[in-house]
Amino acid sequence: HQPSDPNFALQPFVDALKARGVLISNFFNTQAPSFRIGCIGAVTPDDMRRAVAAIDGALGDLGVTRRQAA
């Protein structure tokens, strides 16, 4: 689920991740707003560490401090 922080918005989050080299879809099709992280091809532990760091940075850019799921 997306963070419950009022500063979170999906498209700016997607854009901030893209700027860091991580691509995710810019839509959700679930009842509750959410996003999924997936991959095409082999993913290494270093890839996952980079993705988590990118997510942390993107949330920081948006000013998201409440990072619990809604």
Side-chain angles (χ1 to χ4, degrees):
H1 293 192
Q2 295 178 9
S4 60
D5 192 291
N7 291 321
F8 183 84
L10 184 58
Q11 189 59 54
F13 178 63
V14 169
D15 295 340
L17 285 177
K18 184 176 181 182
R20 290 172 167 77
V22 175
L23 304 177
I24 67 169
S25 295
N26 63 348
F27 67 93
F28 62 90
N29 59 2
T30 57
Q31 285 185 315
S34 60
F35 61 88
R36 282 188 275 174
I37 306 296
C39 71
I40 298 173
V43 176
T44 67
D46 283 340
D47 294 328
M48 292 304 298
R49 281 188 277 278
R50 279 191 298 276
V52 169
I55 291 167
D56 180 57
L59 291 173
D61 286 354
L62 298 176
V64 173
T65 57
R66 283 190 278 159
R67 297 186 178 191
Q68 306 87 332

